[in-house]
Structure formats: structure tokens, C-alpha cells
């Protein structure tokens, strides 16, 4: 199951993964090492070469599906705002499990 992250230019967010060997992802995951498996929290940034979410469509007629996956990484920072706005445009997944920075504004503390 995946959720579309709000925003016109957002990638697809992988909310959960069915590890059943009868599914394409489950079957793929059983053939690769753990760090190469598709996991909940990953982002599908391209599907069959298309990186625009509105263009991401499954292959017709059962043709192979080529996905480009990006795994997020955790970052912890402390920002001294000194009364300024933060200066970030932030988006999140519908489940609230991931935040994304979609814009860094010049007028902010960051």
C-alpha cells in the first residue's frame, strides 16, 4: 500500500509492504539483501522512468515494472530562530510518519 504525499511534486510514500511471496514486492524482497528490500517508509521517486506522480502508472498488460526507490534518513538539528520564522516549507505523509522539506525560504532562520 502506498500513500500520495500532499503536494503536486511529491513522490509516492510506501506506507506498508506485503511480504507475501505471491505479491511482486514480496517476491522481489525475498531475492535481495535486507538493505535493498522495499520497506515501509521508502519513497517511490520514479515508476517506469516517470518521476511526475501524475504520470506514474503501472505497466500495461503485466509488463515489468521498474521503480526507483529512495530511502529517507534521519537528521536531528537545532535551529536558533531569534524571533524569525523557521523558513521552511514542510510537507508530511497522511499517516504522519514522515516529514519532507519542500522549500527553504530566504527570510527564515534556516
Amino acid at each position: 500500500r502506498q500513500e500520495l504525499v500532499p503536494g503536486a511534486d511529491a513522490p509516492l510514500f510506501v506506507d506498508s509492504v506485503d511480504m507475501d511471496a505471491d505479491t511482486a514486492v514480496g517476491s522481489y524482497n525475498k531475492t535481495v539483501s535486507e538493505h535493498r528490500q522495499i520497506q515501509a517508509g521508502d519513497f517511490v521517486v520514479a515508476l517506469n522512468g516517470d518521476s511526475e506522480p501524475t504520470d506514474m502508472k503501472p505497466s500495461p498488460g503485466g509488463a515489468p515494472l521498474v521503480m526507483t526507490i529512495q530511502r529517507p534518513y534521519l537528521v536531528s538539528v537545532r535551529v536558533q530562530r531569534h524571533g524569525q520564522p523557521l523558513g521552511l516549507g514542510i510537507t508530511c505523509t497522511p499517516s504522519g510518519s514522515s516529514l519532507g522539506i519542500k522549500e527553504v525560504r530566504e527570510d527564515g532562520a534556516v
Side-chain angles (χ1 to χ4, degrees):
R1 196 179 109 205
Q2 76 277 342
E3 297 180 17
L4 185 60
V5 179
D9 57 351
L12 295 173
F13 177 73
V14 179
D15 182 53
S16 63
V17 175
D18 186 346
M19 293 300 289
D20 188 330
D22 292 337
T23 66
V25 171
S27 178
Y28 166 80
N29 279 353
K30 289 189 184 322
T31 67
V32 296
S33 62
E34 186 175 343
H35 79 278
R36 296 198 44 92
Q37 292 179 0
I38 299 170
Q39 302 173 13
D42 288 346
F43 290 91
V44 179
V45 295
L47 188 60
N48 294 329
D50 289 320
S51 59
E52 293 295 322
T54 55
D55 296 333
M56 290 187 190
K57 296 179 179 59
S59 301
L65 186 64
V66 178
M67 294 190 294
T68 303
I69 303 291
Q70 184 175 18
R71 182 149 301 141
Y73 56 92
L74 300 176
V75 177
S76 179
V77 297
R78 184 175 298 226
V79 177
Q80 298 291 329
R81 291 180 42 197
H82 303 291
Q84 293 180 292
L86 186 58
L88 295 176
I90 297 176
T91 187
C92 68
T93 60
S95 66
S97 62
S98 184
L99 288 177
I101 298 172
K102 64 180 185 177
E103 177 184 16
V104 178
R105 299 182 186 124
E106 291 183 26
D107 65 344
V110 176

